[in-house]
Amino acid sequence: MSTKRSVYKKNSPNNKLVVYLIQRDIFDDLQSIDPIEGIVTIAKNKLKYSKIFARIRCTFRYGEQQLDDVLSGVTFYKEFFIQTKQIYPIDMNEDNDKYSDVQKQLIERFGDSALPFCFTLTHDIPASITLQMDNRNSLDDNPCGIEYVLQVYASETPQCTIGKQNAVNLVIRRLTLAIPKPDDNVYTKEIIRPFHFHSGELHITAILPKDVYYHGESIPLKLLIDNESSNIVRRLNIQVIQDVQITLFKRRTMRCIVVDMETEEGFPINSHTTGWNETIQLRPSLQEIRGQAIIRIKAVTGFGGRDVQMELPIILCHARQQQEIIKAEEADDLIIEEFKRPAAKQRQTTKEMEKMDSY
């Protein structure tokens, strides 16, 4: 019994180019990296240009898109073209055996109009990331961060201006695949804080079963508090913060609070009280945060005492879905899906694309 898998499809505005992308999430485990592969079908007798190219574009946006329109002549992004290949006319000396199983099934389905392509990224380029700037920003704006786009276009040369009607753009994600540690390797941090105007010390211990989590996975944060001081602990404030280091003109660290919660259950913890413990479940979602994060714990104390704060760095990574490693056995096992961005990522066409020449 064979297993079905999805292949993502997107048409050019004039429907003369159709791209079938095998997977949209590219994983890098620092040993090997998934290829960006698929096929392109074309209407050869209707194309204005005689050549078809494909390239991988990396865009780093470090300012809001609306600023590009306000400040004439100033843009807040950098673009890099990582690889460019000519996929039509086909190189007749190319070895067909190097095509993947799914590419072969697509070629079998679409026949001579199928043009296969394959890119392999290097390990030294950054992972896809979205910087959480301001919740008031429209979801239709291009996000700040790093984004990769597969561009397939018809042109005479790879460097000339791309016509909007003759181009297909598909956003892909380059993700670093991290493997969470076993549950028996607990991640513990402890802080002991004396007070200037109170006797004794406050002991706080935070325990996590591991320091690497998948997006959407519940993070059980266990807290142990021994209040051996004469002060009281009124409540706890817990935050999950996106932590990103950016190097462009100079290095800077960007932090944004994506989860902010307070708990007063079991409080206050009176002076000289020990043995308080509680497990708090945190679940930052994929839309809220990506990459490295910090769990910040702040104990709000009584009058005359400074609040006690500690931080635990963690990593949020993506889980490789089962579909991504399944190989179809027959052409009929492939499910063609329209390539669409998730609702949280839908954005307007970029200003650069709007300036493209029409066909």
Side-chain angles (χ1 to χ4, degrees):
M1 181 178 179
S2 59
T3 305
K4 297 181 182 294
R5 73 164 289 156
S6 297
V7 175
Y8 302 99
K9 169 188 175 183
K10 189 172 182 181
N11 296 50
S12 63
N14 60 11
N15 291 320
K16 296 179 182 179
L17 290 176
V18 184
V19 179
Y20 296 87
L21 184 65
I22 293 177
Q23 60 186 42
R24 60 197 304 173
D25 289 346
I26 308 303
F27 287 92
D28 179 8
D29 62 2
L30 304 182
Q31 300 295 325
S32 61
I33 187 168
D34 296 340
I36 303 170
E37 57 186 8
I39 69 163
V40 180
T41 61
I42 61 174
K44 299 179 182 179
N45 57 341
K46 297 181 180 180
L47 281 176
K48 176 181 178 181
Y49 301 102
S50 59
K51 296 180 181 179
I52 306 295
F53 298 93
R55 67 186 181 189
I56 305 297
R57 185 189 73 194
C58 175
T59 302
F60 173 37
R61 175 167 286 278
Y62 51 91
E64 297 180 13
Q65 181 182 350
Q66 59 187 2
L67 295 177
D68 295 347
D69 302 324
V70 174
L71 302 175
S72 178
V74 180
T75 58
F76 293 86
Y77 65 90
K78 296 289 184 182
E79 282 189 348
F80 310 91
F81 296 104
I82 299 175
Q83 295 182 36
T84 302
K85 291 184 178 181
Q86 178 179 314
I87 59 176
Y88 179 78
I90 300 176
D91 184 359
M92 302 307 296
N93 296 323
E94 198 169 40
D95 184 9
N96 293 340
D97 292 336
K98 72 177 184 179
Y99 300 146
S100 68
D101 294 340
V102 180
Q103 280 181 303
K104 292 178 181 178
Q105 311 312 320
L106 289 170
I107 293 172
E108 178 183 342
R109 172 178 288 193
F110 295 104
D112 294 337
S113 63
L115 308 173
F117 64 86
C118 181
F119 293 93
T120 301
L121 302 180
T122 58
H123 298 287
D124 57 354
I125 61 175
S128 300
I129 189 169
T130 300
L131 303 180
Q132 308 299 321
M133 301 294 289
D134 190 336
N135 292 333
R136 295 173 298 177
N137 288 351
S138 171
L139 292 176
D140 291 332
D141 289 340
N142 281 322
C144 292
I146 296 173
E147 184 177 71
Y148 292 91
V149 177
L150 168 64
Q151 292 184 311
V152 179
Y153 56 98
S155 178
E156 291 299 333
T157 62
Q159 294 81 17
C160 70
T161 303
I162 303 175
K164 181 180 178 181
Q165 297 296 317
N166 287 316
V168 180
N169 294 273
L170 303 96
V171 176
I172 57 178
R173 296 191 300 174
R174 183 200 178 282
L175 307 173
T176 301
L177 185 64
I179 306 300
K181 296 179 181 179
D183 292 345
D184 55 354
N185 293 335
V186 295
Y187 180 39
T188 304
K189 188 171 184 178
E190 182 180 11
I191 186 172
I192 302 175
R193 181 63 57 83
F195 298 101
H196 292 294
F197 301 104
H198 295 272
S199 61
E201 297 174 329
L202 178 64
H203 297 248
I204 301 178
T205 303
I207 302 174
L208 292 172
K210 53 190 177 182
D211 59 350
V212 179
Y213 293 87
Y214 292 127
H215 289 292
E217 181 181 1
S218 180
I219 302 176
L221 173 64
K222 185 176 182 179
L223 296 174
L224 309 175
I225 299 178
D226 291 329
N227 185 12
E228 299 176 353
S229 71
S230 59
N231 200 352
I232 65 172
V233 180
R234 297 185 181 276
R235 62 184 181 275
L236 284 179
N237 176 255
I238 301 173
Q239 298 174 331
V240 179
I241 303 171
Q242 183 185 39
D243 183 76
V244 180
Q245 286 192 349
I246 302 173
T247 302
L248 188 60
F249 304 107
K250 62 179 181 179
R251 176 172 293 185
R252 58 171 293 199
T253 299
M254 181 174 181
R255 288 187 172 185
C256 179
I257 298 173
V258 294
V259 174
D260 193 351
M261 61 177 293
E262 282 193 354
T263 177
E264 296 183 352
E265 185 177 352
F267 289 87
I269 301 176
N270 295 319
S271 59
H272 305 292
T273 300
T274 60
W276 186 94
N277 69 87
E278 187 72 32
T279 299
I280 299 172
Q281 300 292 335
L282 304 173
R283 184 172 292 180
S285 70
L286 177 63
Q287 287 77 21
E288 292 171 336
I289 185 170
R290 299 176 185 171
Q292 186 171 354
I294 291 175
I295 298 178
R296 176 181 292 168
I297 304 159
K298 182 168 69 173
V300 181
T301 61
F303 178 77
R306 297 179 59 185
D307 295 342
V308 179
Q309 181 173 293
M310 65 188 302
E311 294 183 348
L312 292 85
I314 62 171
I315 295 176
L316 291 178
C317 63
H318 295 264
R320 184 192 290 272
Q321 297 180 359
Q322 187 67 20
Q323 151 177 308
E324 300 297 341
I325 58 176
I326 292 175
K327 298 298 183 182
E329 298 177 4
E330 300 176 2
D332 292 339
D333 294 329
L334 300 178
I335 302 173
I336 307 299
E337 294 185 9
E338 292 294 331
F339 187 94
K340 295 180 180 179
R341 293 190 179 192
K345 299 178 187 175
Q346 291 181 354
R347 299 181 278 271
Q348 293 176 342
T349 305
T350 62
K351 182 179 179 181
E352 308 85 65
M353 290 298 298
E354 291 175 350
K355 289 184 176 180
M356 287 183 177
D357 297 334
S358 60
Y359 172 56

